[in-house]
Amino acid sequence: MDGKDLASVGVAEVQAVEAAADLYTRMDLAHGGSMAAAMARGSLSWAIELLDRPMTPPVRERLSSAIGLLADRLGWAIYDAGDTAKAGRVLTLALDNAARGTDRDLRAHVMLDLSTVVTDAGRPSEGVEILRLALGDERISSAERANLHAVAARHCAAAHDRPAGLRHVDLAEEALTRAQPASSPDWARRITVSPGHHDSALGLALFALDEDVRAREHLSSAVARLEAGRTRTGLRCRTRLAILHMRAGDREHGEREARRAVQDATGVRSRRISGDLQMMVAGARTHGMNGLADELTHAIAREATTSADG
């Protein structure tokens, strides 16, 4: 059977892929989990098969962007679950498709996610280089440019290049002073341009760069502004905020943020969040709060046992 025998792909099929990507994005940002990932895999397989069917160039471009987004979200979930190698392969697929679409911010964002996987695999300098390539595209929005610089700053911290990291922070803040687009794609409104996102990105970077005062300001702003659907991002901010309070000798606020983080982590399936919680427990012990550390450890273990039994 050749292409002439296949039914052409129209806007309806593309909208179905876009709807699947949107649903999965909302599910994944909140809690992740194997069920959501399975749904994304099934939708992605079907969407990729559509590429072999005839369609007009505008429809193909829109479909490519939809597949790029869906694959990006799946790749990110696989990374969040701890499979770095497989995540890299899926994100490469996402990048190949996003590059064929017209959404330049999406292409840049997939590169951002891929850079994070590469950095986590122990190659932070390579991660920074991926973001430099993304930043070379003058067509991306100032909001996504700020996001790229903030994550590059975090990668620089991992590469032990603090001066470069601080320069990227300055460039991120500069990008945020520029005019933002009047409208953004749905995926960007849920992620990049959602309330509190840039504060979280900058706060995480500044924490990694040991800029405690500035990090605390951004992280506090992030947890106050992030929407309910950004559970994991909120947890990444709150765990670090707890550590910063402990480090500053503010035991009361440190305990409050730490307990809230453990409470909010209930039902969240994320290797990164599990690591963040352990980092927070270690921070409590480092600052002589052994009672709190034991309490948090027991609460985390209890939740893990409950989840396993469920």
Side-chain angles (χ1 to χ4, degrees):
M1 181 181 293
D2 59 29
K4 294 180 180 179
D5 298 317
L6 297 173
S8 63
V9 175
V11 174
E13 288 86 351
V14 177
Q15 288 176 331
V17 179
E18 291 171 340
D22 180 68
L23 174 61
Y24 177 66
T25 297
R26 285 187 279 115
M27 294 173 66
D28 179 59
L29 286 174
H31 297 289
S34 58
M35 184 178 297
M39 182 197 77
R41 287 189 187 95
S43 298
L44 181 60
S45 296
W46 174 74
I48 289 174
E49 290 176 359
L50 293 177
L51 291 170
D52 293 330
R53 291 162 55 178
M55 65 193 81
T56 65
V59 169
R60 187 170 294 278
E61 288 180 348
R62 184 171 168 182
L63 176 61
S64 294
S65 290
I67 291 174
L69 175 59
L70 185 57
D72 173 72
R73 292 294 86 201
L74 176 59
W76 189 250
I78 293 171
Y79 160 67
D80 195 52
D83 192 340
T84 303
K86 186 174 182 180
R89 292 193 296 272
V90 176
L91 287 170
T92 299
L93 170 69
L95 181 57
D96 288 343
N97 282 276
R100 295 187 180 98
T102 58
D103 188 340
R104 309 318 295 173
D105 276 13
L106 175 60
R107 175 181 177 273
H109 198 81
V110 176
M111 294 178 75
L112 180 151
D113 289 342
L114 185 58
S115 78
T116 300
V117 171
V118 167
T119 296
D120 191 53
R123 307 194 303 275
S125 296
E126 185 177 333
V128 173
E129 187 58 34
I130 291 172
L131 292 183
R132 284 181 179 149
L133 291 172
L135 286 162
D137 188 343
E138 295 298 327
R139 296 167 292 180
I140 62 176
S141 70
S142 51
E144 186 60 47
R145 188 170 296 276
N147 199 36
L148 294 167
H149 279 301
V151 174
R154 200 163 77 232
H155 295 346
C156 287
H160 307 292
D161 190 348
R162 191 168 184 273
L166 292 174
R167 285 196 298 274
H168 277 292
V169 168
D170 290 341
L171 290 169
E173 292 176 335
E174 177 187 332
L176 290 173
T177 65
R178 300 174 194 162
Q180 302 298 327
S183 62
S184 301
D186 288 344
W187 71 265
R189 290 199 294 273
R190 294 197 186 283
I191 304 175
T192 314
V193 296
S194 63
H197 176 84
H198 287 106
D199 273 320
S200 71
L202 284 166
L204 293 174
L206 289 163
F207 177 88
L209 291 164
D210 295 323
E211 287 284 317
D212 288 9
V213 174
R214 295 168 68 191
R216 189 163 60 245
E217 291 173 354
H218 281 288
L219 293 171
S220 297
S221 177
V223 298
R225 299 180 62 218
L226 284 167
E227 297 173 330
R230 299 297 302 273
T231 307
R232 287 182 305 182
T233 301
L235 281 164
R236 301 214 78 204
C237 294
R238 201 175 291 279
T239 50
R240 285 158 178 75
L241 198 54
I243 293 171
L244 289 172
H245 285 311
M246 295 174 194
R247 195 180 291 170
D250 188 344
R251 298 172 69 93
E252 179 181 352
H253 283 90
E255 290 179 359
R256 185 185 66 191
E257 293 293 352
R259 291 187 177 113
R260 173 66 184 275
V262 171
Q263 177 185 336
D264 288 355
T266 301
V268 174
R269 304 290 173 263
S270 167
R271 175 191 59 85
R272 291 182 302 147
I273 296 305
S274 295
D276 288 348
L277 292 173
Q278 294 304 322
M279 177 179 67
M280 185 177 68
V281 170
R285 293 199 189 282
T286 297
H287 295 93
M289 302 170 70
N290 291 322
L292 175 65
D294 291 340
E295 174 192 330
L296 298 176
T297 298
H298 293 152
I300 294 168
R302 185 166 57 249
E303 161 61 14
T305 301
T306 301
S307 298
D309 291 341

PDB file of all heavy atoms in Angstrom, residues 127-158:
ATOM      1  N   GLY A 127      25.597  19.962  28.572  1.00  0.00           N
ATOM      2  CA  GLY A 127      24.265  20.509  28.778  1.00  0.00           C
ATOM      3  C   GLY A 127      24.221  22.000  28.512  1.00  0.00           C
ATOM      4  O   GLY A 127      23.288  22.520  27.886  1.00  0.00           O
ATOM      5  N   VAL A 128      25.245  22.713  28.968  1.00  0.00           N
ATOM      6  CA  VAL A 128      25.323  24.157  28.729  1.00  0.00           C
ATOM      7  C   VAL A 128      25.457  24.422  27.233  1.00  0.00           C
ATOM      8  O   VAL A 128      24.833  25.352  26.695  1.00  0.00           O
ATOM      9  CB  VAL A 128      26.520  24.774  29.486  1.00  0.00           C
ATOM     10  CG1 VAL A 128      26.700  26.239  29.106  1.00  0.00           C
ATOM     11  CG2 VAL A 128      26.307  24.657  30.995  1.00  0.00           C
ATOM     12  N   GLU A 129      26.241  23.611  26.546  1.00  0.00           N
ATOM     13  CA  GLU A 129      26.446  23.810  25.109  1.00  0.00           C
ATOM     14  C   GLU A 129      25.142  23.617  24.330  1.00  0.00           C
ATOM     15  O   GLU A 129      24.871  24.358  23.367  1.00  0.00           O
ATOM     16  CB  GLU A 129      27.516  22.851  24.593  1.00  0.00           C
ATOM     17  CG  GLU A 129      27.930  23.098  23.151  1.00  0.00           C
ATOM     18  CD  GLU A 129      28.453  24.511  22.909  1.00  0.00           C
ATOM     19  OE1 GLU A 129      29.086  25.083  23.824  1.00  0.00           O
ATOM     20  OE2 GLU A 129      28.224  25.041  21.797  1.00  0.00           O
ATOM     21  N   ILE A 130      24.331  22.662  24.737  1.00  0.00           N
ATOM     22  CA  ILE A 130      23.031  22.459  24.086  1.00  0.00           C
ATOM     23  C   ILE A 130      22.180  23.717  24.223  1.00  0.00           C
ATOM     24  O   ILE A 130      21.521  24.155  23.266  1.00  0.00           O
ATOM     25  CB  ILE A 130      22.302  21.246  24.696  1.00  0.00           C
ATOM     26  CG1 ILE A 130      23.019  19.950  24.313  1.00  0.00           C
ATOM     27  CG2 ILE A 130      20.845  21.190  24.227  1.00  0.00           C
ATOM     28  CD1 ILE A 130      22.483  18.718  25.019  1.00  0.00           C
ATOM     29  N   LEU A 131      22.220  24.332  25.389  1.00  0.00           N
ATOM     30  CA  LEU A 131      21.428  25.544  25.597  1.00  0.00           C
ATOM     31  C   LEU A 131      21.999  26.732  24.833  1.00  0.00           C
ATOM     32  O   LEU A 131      21.242  27.604  24.387  1.00  0.00           O
ATOM     33  CB  LEU A 131      21.334  25.861  27.093  1.00  0.00           C
ATOM     34  CG  LEU A 131      20.512  24.863  27.903  1.00  0.00           C
ATOM     35  CD1 LEU A 131      20.414  25.304  29.356  1.00  0.00           C
ATOM     36  CD2 LEU A 131      19.109  24.713  27.315  1.00  0.00           C
ATOM     37  N   ARG A 132      23.291  26.773  24.657  1.00  0.00           N
ATOM     38  CA  ARG A 132      23.883  27.841  23.841  1.00  0.00           C
ATOM     39  C   ARG A 132      23.391  27.741  22.398  1.00  0.00           C
ATOM     40  O   ARG A 132      23.120  28.756  21.750  1.00  0.00           O
ATOM     41  CB  ARG A 132      25.407  27.758  23.892  1.00  0.00           C
ATOM     42  CG  ARG A 132      25.992  28.278  25.206  1.00  0.00           C
ATOM     43  CD  ARG A 132      27.489  28.191  25.209  1.00  0.00           C
ATOM     44  NE  ARG A 132      28.030  28.703  26.467  1.00  0.00           N
ATOM     45  CZ  ARG A 132      29.155  28.265  27.027  1.00  0.00           C
ATOM     46  NH1 ARG A 132      29.860  27.320  26.434  1.00  0.00           N
ATOM     47  NH2 ARG A 132      29.577  28.778  28.166  1.00  0.00           N
ATOM     48  N   LEU A 133      23.275  26.517  21.903  1.00  0.00           N
ATOM     49  CA  LEU A 133      22.744  26.316  20.556  1.00  0.00           C
ATOM     50  C   LEU A 133      21.292  26.775  20.489  1.00  0.00           C
ATOM     51  O   LEU A 133      20.869  27.419  19.512  1.00  0.00           O
ATOM     52  CB  LEU A 133      22.850  24.840  20.165  1.00  0.00           C
ATOM     53  CG  LEU A 133      24.274  24.302  19.945  1.00  0.00           C
ATOM     54  CD1 LEU A 133      24.238  22.790  19.746  1.00  0.00           C
ATOM     55  CD2 LEU A 133      24.930  24.985  18.751  1.00  0.00           C
ATOM     56  N   ALA A 134      20.518  26.453  21.521  1.00  0.00           N
ATOM     57  CA  ALA A 134      19.114  26.877  21.544  1.00  0.00           C
ATOM     58  C   ALA A 134      19.003  28.392  21.589  1.00  0.00           C
ATOM     59  O   ALA A 134      18.169  28.998  20.903  1.00  0.00           O
ATOM     60  CB  ALA A 134      18.408  26.258  22.752  1.00  0.00           C
ATOM     61  N   LEU A 135      19.858  29.035  22.360  1.00  0.00           N
ATOM     62  CA  LEU A 135      19.820  30.496  22.507  1.00  0.00           C
ATOM     63  C   LEU A 135      20.247  31.207  21.230  1.00  0.00           C
ATOM     64  O   LEU A 135      19.978  32.401  21.064  1.00  0.00           O
ATOM     65  CB  LEU A 135      20.718  30.917  23.671  1.00  0.00           C
ATOM     66  CG  LEU A 135      20.150  30.623  25.068  1.00  0.00           C
ATOM     67  CD1 LEU A 135      21.251  30.663  26.121  1.00  0.00           C
ATOM     68  CD2 LEU A 135      19.054  31.627  25.407  1.00  0.00           C
ATOM     69  N   GLY A 136      20.896  30.478  20.322  1.00  0.00           N
ATOM     70  CA  GLY A 136      21.311  31.087  19.062  1.00  0.00           C
ATOM     71  C   GLY A 136      20.164  31.358  18.110  1.00  0.00           C
ATOM     72  O   GLY A 136      20.331  32.076  17.123  1.00  0.00           O
ATOM     73  N   ASP A 137      18.978  30.829  18.408  1.00  0.00           N
ATOM     74  CA  ASP A 137      17.799  31.066  17.573  1.00  0.00           C
ATOM     75  C   ASP A 137      17.139  32.369  18.007  1.00  0.00           C
ATOM     76  O   ASP A 137      16.561  32.462  19.087  1.00  0.00           O
ATOM     77  CB  ASP A 137      16.822  29.896  17.725  1.00  0.00           C
ATOM     78  CG  ASP A 137      15.664  29.964  16.740  1.00  0.00           C
ATOM     79  OD1 ASP A 137      15.435  31.051  16.161  1.00  0.00           O
ATOM     80  OD2 ASP A 137      14.979  28.942  16.564  1.00  0.00           O
ATOM     81  N   GLU A 138      17.231  33.387  17.173  1.00  0.00           N
ATOM     82  CA  GLU A 138      16.692  34.702  17.522  1.00  0.00           C
ATOM     83  C   GLU A 138      15.167  34.740  17.497  1.00  0.00           C
ATOM     84  O   GLU A 138      14.562  35.730  17.917  1.00  0.00           O
ATOM     85  CB  GLU A 138      17.236  35.753  16.546  1.00  0.00           C
ATOM     86  CG  GLU A 138      18.740  35.954  16.632  1.00  0.00           C
ATOM     87  CD  GLU A 138      19.183  36.456  18.003  1.00  0.00           C
ATOM     88  OE1 GLU A 138      18.408  37.204  18.637  1.00  0.00           O
ATOM     89  OE2 GLU A 138      20.289  36.082  18.443  1.00  0.00           O
ATOM     90  N   ARG A 139      14.526  33.673  17.031  1.00  0.00           N
ATOM     91  CA  ARG A 139      13.068  33.672  16.909  1.00  0.00           C
ATOM     92  C   ARG A 139      12.356  33.259  18.190  1.00  0.00           C
ATOM     93  O   ARG A 139      11.135  33.384  18.282  1.00  0.00           O
ATOM     94  CB  ARG A 139      12.651  32.744  15.764  1.00  0.00           C
ATOM     95  CG  ARG A 139      13.128  33.194  14.395  1.00  0.00           C
ATOM     96  CD  ARG A 139      12.961  32.079  13.375  1.00  0.00           C
ATOM     97  NE  ARG A 139      13.858  30.967  13.636  1.00  0.00           N
ATOM     98  CZ  ARG A 139      13.935  29.860  12.905  1.00  0.00           C
ATOM     99  NH1 ARG A 139      13.131  29.723  11.851  1.00  0.00           N
ATOM    100  NH2 ARG A 139      14.787  28.889  13.208  1.00  0.00           N
ATOM    101  N   ILE A 140      13.082  32.762  19.174  1.00  0.00           N
ATOM    102  CA  ILE A 140      12.410  32.338  20.404  1.00  0.00           C
ATOM    103  C   ILE A 140      11.998  33.555  21.224  1.00  0.00           C
ATOM    104  O   ILE A 140      12.600  34.622  21.146  1.00  0.00           O
ATOM    105  CB  ILE A 140      13.308  31.396  21.238  1.00  0.00           C
ATOM    106  CG1 ILE A 140      14.590  32.108  21.676  1.00  0.00           C
ATOM    107  CG2 ILE A 140      13.629  30.144  20.485  1.00  0.00           C
ATOM    108  CD1 ILE A 140      15.466  31.254  22.572  1.00  0.00           C
ATOM    109  N   SER A 141      10.948  33.385  22.025  1.00  0.00           N
ATOM    110  CA  SER A 141      10.405  34.487  22.807  1.00  0.00           C
ATOM    111  C   SER A 141      11.333  34.856  23.957  1.00  0.00           C
ATOM    112  O   SER A 141      12.182  34.064  24.379  1.00  0.00           O
ATOM    113  CB  SER A 141       9.034  34.115  23.363  1.00  0.00           C
ATOM    114  OG  SER A 141       9.166  33.124  24.376  1.00  0.00           O
ATOM    115  N   SER A 142      11.144  36.049  24.493  1.00  0.00           N
ATOM    116  CA  SER A 142      11.952  36.477  25.634  1.00  0.00           C
ATOM    117  C   SER A 142      11.656  35.626  26.864  1.00  0.00           C
ATOM    118  O   SER A 142      12.535  35.394  27.697  1.00  0.00           O
ATOM    119  CB  SER A 142      11.699  37.959  25.931  1.00  0.00           C
ATOM    120  OG  SER A 142      10.318  38.225  26.040  1.00  0.00           O
ATOM    121  N   ALA A 143      10.422  35.124  26.992  1.00  0.00           N
ATOM    122  CA  ALA A 143      10.070  34.286  28.139  1.00  0.00           C
ATOM    123  C   ALA A 143      10.841  32.968  28.102  1.00  0.00           C
ATOM    124  O   ALA A 143      11.386  32.519  29.119  1.00  0.00           O
ATOM    125  CB  ALA A 143       8.569  34.022  28.158  1.00  0.00           C
ATOM    126  N   GLU A 144      10.890  32.346  26.923  1.00  0.00           N
ATOM    127  CA  GLU A 144      11.632  31.090  26.808  1.00  0.00           C
ATOM    128  C   GLU A 144      13.134  31.351  26.897  1.00  0.00           C
ATOM    129  O   GLU A 144      13.881  30.539  27.450  1.00  0.00           O
ATOM    130  CB  GLU A 144      11.307  30.385  25.500  1.00  0.00           C
ATOM    131  CG  GLU A 144      11.921  29.000  25.370  1.00  0.00           C
ATOM    132  CD  GLU A 144      11.467  28.051  26.459  1.00  0.00           C
ATOM    133  OE1 GLU A 144      10.245  27.971  26.737  1.00  0.00           O
ATOM    134  OE2 GLU A 144      12.336  27.363  27.047  1.00  0.00           O
ATOM    135  N   ARG A 145      13.592  32.486  26.392  1.00  0.00           N
ATOM    136  CA  ARG A 145      15.009  32.839  26.493  1.00  0.00           C
ATOM    137  C   ARG A 145      15.413  32.961  27.962  1.00  0.00           C
ATOM    138  O   ARG A 145      16.489  32.480  28.372  1.00  0.00           O
ATOM    139  CB  ARG A 145      15.280  34.150  25.742  1.00  0.00           C
ATOM    140  CG  ARG A 145      16.756  34.509  25.623  1.00  0.00           C
ATOM    141  CD  ARG A 145      16.947  35.673  24.656  1.00  0.00           C
ATOM    142  NE  ARG A 145      16.533  35.294  23.301  1.00  0.00           N
ATOM    143  CZ  ARG A 145      17.325  34.646  22.452  1.00  0.00           C
ATOM    144  NH1 ARG A 145      18.555  34.319  22.807  1.00  0.00           N
ATOM    145  NH2 ARG A 145      16.893  34.342  21.238  1.00  0.00           N
ATOM    146  N   ALA A 146      14.572  33.577  28.765  1.00  0.00           N
ATOM    147  CA  ALA A 146      14.858  33.694  30.202  1.00  0.00           C
ATOM    148  C   ALA A 146      14.933  32.314  30.838  1.00  0.00           C
ATOM    149  O   ALA A 146      15.792  32.041  31.691  1.00  0.00           O
ATOM    150  CB  ALA A 146      13.782  34.540  30.870  1.00  0.00           C
ATOM    151  N   ASN A 147      14.030  31.443  30.421  1.00  0.00           N
ATOM    152  CA  ASN A 147      14.010  30.084  30.947  1.00  0.00           C
ATOM    153  C   ASN A 147      15.300  29.345  30.597  1.00  0.00           C
ATOM    154  O   ASN A 147      15.901  28.668  31.443  1.00  0.00           O
ATOM    155  CB  ASN A 147      12.805  29.347  30.357  1.00  0.00           C
ATOM    156  CG  ASN A 147      12.407  28.127  31.144  1.00  0.00           C
ATOM    157  OD1 ASN A 147      12.487  28.099  32.363  1.00  0.00           O
ATOM    158  ND2 ASN A 147      11.952  27.100  30.448  1.00  0.00           N
ATOM    159  N   LEU A 148      15.751  29.477  29.356  1.00  0.00           N
ATOM    160  CA  LEU A 148      16.977  28.824  28.916  1.00  0.00           C
ATOM    161  C   LEU A 148      18.183  29.313  29.717  1.00  0.00           C
ATOM    162  O   LEU A 148      19.039  28.521  30.127  1.00  0.00           O
ATOM    163  CB  LEU A 148      17.198  29.079  27.427  1.00  0.00           C
ATOM    164  CG  LEU A 148      16.187  28.452  26.464  1.00  0.00           C
ATOM    165  CD1 LEU A 148      16.353  29.057  25.065  1.00  0.00           C
ATOM    166  CD2 LEU A 148      16.360  26.942  26.403  1.00  0.00           C
ATOM    167  N   HIS A 149      18.257  30.626  29.929  1.00  0.00           N
ATOM    168  CA  HIS A 149      19.388  31.167  30.690  1.00  0.00           C
ATOM    169  C   HIS A 149      19.365  30.692  32.143  1.00  0.00           C
ATOM    170  O   HIS A 149      20.422  30.390  32.723  1.00  0.00           O
ATOM    171  CB  HIS A 149      19.366  32.701  30.644  1.00  0.00           C
ATOM    172  CG  HIS A 149      19.942  33.288  29.389  1.00  0.00           C
ATOM    173  ND1 HIS A 149      21.246  33.052  28.993  1.00  0.00           N
ATOM    174  CD2 HIS A 149      19.401  34.119  28.455  1.00  0.00           C
ATOM    175  CE1 HIS A 149      21.481  33.705  27.859  1.00  0.00           C
ATOM    176  NE2 HIS A 149      20.388  34.351  27.513  1.00  0.00           N
ATOM    177  N   ALA A 150      18.180  30.623  32.732  1.00  0.00           N
ATOM    178  CA  ALA A 150      18.086  30.192  34.125  1.00  0.00           C
ATOM    179  C   ALA A 150      18.550  28.747  34.277  1.00  0.00           C
ATOM    180  O   ALA A 150      19.292  28.403  35.213  1.00  0.00           O
ATOM    181  CB  ALA A 150      16.649  30.346  34.624  1.00  0.00           C
ATOM    182  N   VAL A 151      18.144  27.882  33.362  1.00  0.00           N
ATOM    183  CA  VAL A 151      18.566  26.488  33.440  1.00  0.00           C
ATOM    184  C   VAL A 151      20.053  26.354  33.103  1.00  0.00           C
ATOM    185  O   VAL A 151      20.766  25.547  33.702  1.00  0.00           O
ATOM    186  CB  VAL A 151      17.695  25.616  32.516  1.00  0.00           C
ATOM    187  CG1 VAL A 151      18.212  24.183  32.483  1.00  0.00           C
ATOM    188  CG2 VAL A 151      16.247  25.633  32.996  1.00  0.00           C
ATOM    189  N   ALA A 152      20.539  27.168  32.172  1.00  0.00           N
ATOM    190  CA  ALA A 152      21.976  27.165  31.872  1.00  0.00           C
ATOM    191  C   ALA A 152      22.781  27.537  33.110  1.00  0.00           C
ATOM    192  O   ALA A 152      23.861  26.982  33.357  1.00  0.00           O
ATOM    193  CB  ALA A 152      22.279  28.135  30.727  1.00  0.00           C
ATOM    194  N   ALA A 153      22.258  28.465  33.905  1.00  0.00           N
ATOM    195  CA  ALA A 153      22.936  28.854  35.143  1.00  0.00           C
ATOM    196  C   ALA A 153      23.056  27.670  36.089  1.00  0.00           C
ATOM    197  O   ALA A 153      24.093  27.460  36.731  1.00  0.00           O
ATOM    198  CB  ALA A 153      22.167  29.995  35.812  1.00  0.00           C
ATOM    199  N   ARG A 154      22.004  26.862  36.158  1.00  0.00           N
ATOM    200  CA  ARG A 154      22.027  25.677  37.023  1.00  0.00           C
ATOM    201  C   ARG A 154      23.032  24.652  36.509  1.00  0.00           C
ATOM    202  O   ARG A 154      23.751  24.023  37.285  1.00  0.00           O
ATOM    203  CB  ARG A 154      20.623  25.076  37.095  1.00  0.00           C
ATOM    204  CG  ARG A 154      20.411  24.175  38.304  1.00  0.00           C
ATOM    205  CD  ARG A 154      18.941  23.936  38.577  1.00  0.00           C
ATOM    206  NE  ARG A 154      18.353  22.970  37.670  1.00  0.00           N
ATOM    207  CZ  ARG A 154      17.250  23.165  36.959  1.00  0.00           C
ATOM    208  NH1 ARG A 154      16.618  24.330  37.029  1.00  0.00           N
ATOM    209  NH2 ARG A 154      16.761  22.226  36.187  1.00  0.00           N
ATOM    210  N   HIS A 155      23.089  24.486  35.190  1.00  0.00           N
ATOM    211  CA  HIS A 155      24.068  23.562  34.627  1.00  0.00           C
ATOM    212  C   HIS A 155      25.494  24.048  34.889  1.00  0.00           C
ATOM    213  O   HIS A 155      26.397  23.247  35.150  1.00  0.00           O
ATOM    214  CB  HIS A 155      23.860  23.414  33.114  1.00  0.00           C
ATOM    215  CG  HIS A 155      22.552  22.782  32.738  1.00  0.00           C
ATOM    216  ND1 HIS A 155      21.739  22.121  33.639  1.00  0.00           N
ATOM    217  CD2 HIS A 155      21.918  22.717  31.532  1.00  0.00           C
ATOM    218  CE1 HIS A 155      20.674  21.670  33.014  1.00  0.00           C
ATOM    219  NE2 HIS A 155      20.756  22.016  31.736  1.00  0.00           N
ATOM    220  N   CYS A 156      25.695  25.358  34.813  1.00  0.00           N
ATOM    221  CA  CYS A 156      27.025  25.917  35.095  1.00  0.00           C
ATOM    222  C   CYS A 156      27.436  25.621  36.537  1.00  0.00           C
ATOM    223  O   CYS A 156      28.613  25.341  36.817  1.00  0.00           O
ATOM    224  CB  CYS A 156      27.041  27.422  34.849  1.00  0.00           C
ATOM    225  SG  CYS A 156      27.020  27.895  33.102  1.00  0.00           S
ATOM    226  N   ALA A 157      26.465  25.679  37.449  1.00  0.00           N
ATOM    227  CA  ALA A 157      26.764  25.346  38.847  1.00  0.00           C
ATOM    228  C   ALA A 157      27.226  23.896  38.950  1.00  0.00           C
ATOM    229  O   ALA A 157      28.181  23.587  39.663  1.00  0.00           O
ATOM    230  CB  ALA A 157      25.533  25.581  39.717  1.00  0.00           C
ATOM    231  N   ALA A 158      26.562  23.007  38.212  1.00  0.00           N
ATOM    232  CA  ALA A 158      26.957  21.598  38.222  1.00  0.00           C
ATOM    233  C   ALA A 158      28.346  21.410  37.620  1.00  0.00           C
ATOM    234  O   ALA A 158      29.076  20.486  37.999  1.00  0.00           O
ATOM    235  CB  ALA A 158      25.936  20.762  37.450  1.00  0.00           C
TER     236      ALA A 158
END
